Amino acid sequence: MYIKQLKDLSSKLLNETIEAVVLLSEVKVKTTKTDKKYADIIIQDASRMMEAKYWDYEENQEKFKSFQPHEIVQIQGQVGEYGGQLQLTIRNIERASSDKVSIKDLIPTSPWEFESMKKGLEYFQNRIETPHLKELIDKMIFSAEYYEKFCTYPAARKVHHNFYRGLLHHTLEVLKLVNTVANTKKLSQHQTDRLFVMTMLHDWGKMMEYKALPELGLTEKGMMIGHIFLGAHYTLNAIHEINDFPEEDKLVILNGILGHHGSLEFGSPVLPKTVEAQILHQADKMSGDVESILSFIKEDAEEEENFTKRLWNMGTEYYKK
Ligand SMILES: [Fe+2]
Ligand SMILES: [Fe+2]
């Protein structure tokens, strides 16, 4: 059963015992007034997150401590109500084997169909005519080493495109946007090639910045160095393996990756210095901002007010109707 169904059917399921396979998102050990330890847990699946209580924590501490962050678990729980809110009390919790469930059932996935996303990426690959730029993209995206990762990683932990295949989804969105600008402004073929390449690589470093799903945290590399530097660093290494890669294209591509956040205060070490890099920055911002507004409105849909709460990264509330 999905958590969303549980919420929708909560009145019918009152006092029933349900079973579900979920991710253990967060566990906080707390103490009752009578000095007994219990666990406040956040469980999640692809449909949503929810809080649950586990009162028998003290007796099962050892088992609990052996769970990894974002462990896949099978729970049995009793549906109850507290202060008008659905409350789930977990009666039993066991580690579930990951081959029994699909990751798509546990974490949100891009709503775009994977086959058409793959075709979209190939379309832009084939649009690149400059041989050394094509070679760079083939090495960094279409190689056995990176293709699978590039197609499955999220593009963020929160805010925008924080779902399975989010990096691919976001990269395609930005490619579509920069393509429109390149056509409208009549960029040359070479400029367009450079723009497509820097766009495909701009968030590439996220494959190393984030842990593989279902975990949501940053890796040590991600914490220490971040995706902007990581992307530029691996791109430079790949360029060094390509014969006679022109110095000018190298600098332009690296500037596009390093400058894509648009300003020093948002983490870019240099500003965009080419028209291509500025187009990439603005398209990237457009993709991220619009996605964050749309998903915030969706999350807030159950609240009755006409406006959402304040969206922290945009600094304002949004009208929902
Ligand atoms: Fe980025
Ligand atoms: Fe991005």
Side-chain angles (χ1 to χ4, degrees), residues 155 160 170 202-204 206 209 227-228 257 260-261 284:
H160 77 90
H170 167 65
H202 84 281
D203 276 340
W204 187 98
K206 290 194 172 175
E209 185 176 38
H227 75 277
I228 295 186
I257 297 169
H260 82 265
H261 283 197
D284 182 41

Side-chain angles (χ1 to χ4, degrees), residues 219-261:
T219 60
E220 266 184 22
K221 260 188 189 169
M223 290 259 218
M224 301 289 267
I225 315 181
H227 75 277
I228 295 186
F229 176 84
L230 283 165
H233 174 68
Y234 279 82
T235 300
L236 186 58
N237 283 349
I239 285 175
H240 284 154
E241 289 170 8
I242 298 170
N243 286 334
D244 302 323
F245 198 101
E247 179 72 9
E248 187 193 73
D249 278 357
K250 177 179 98 182
L251 296 181
V252 170
I253 300 296
L254 290 178
N255 173 258
I257 297 169
L258 292 169
H260 82 265
H261 283 197

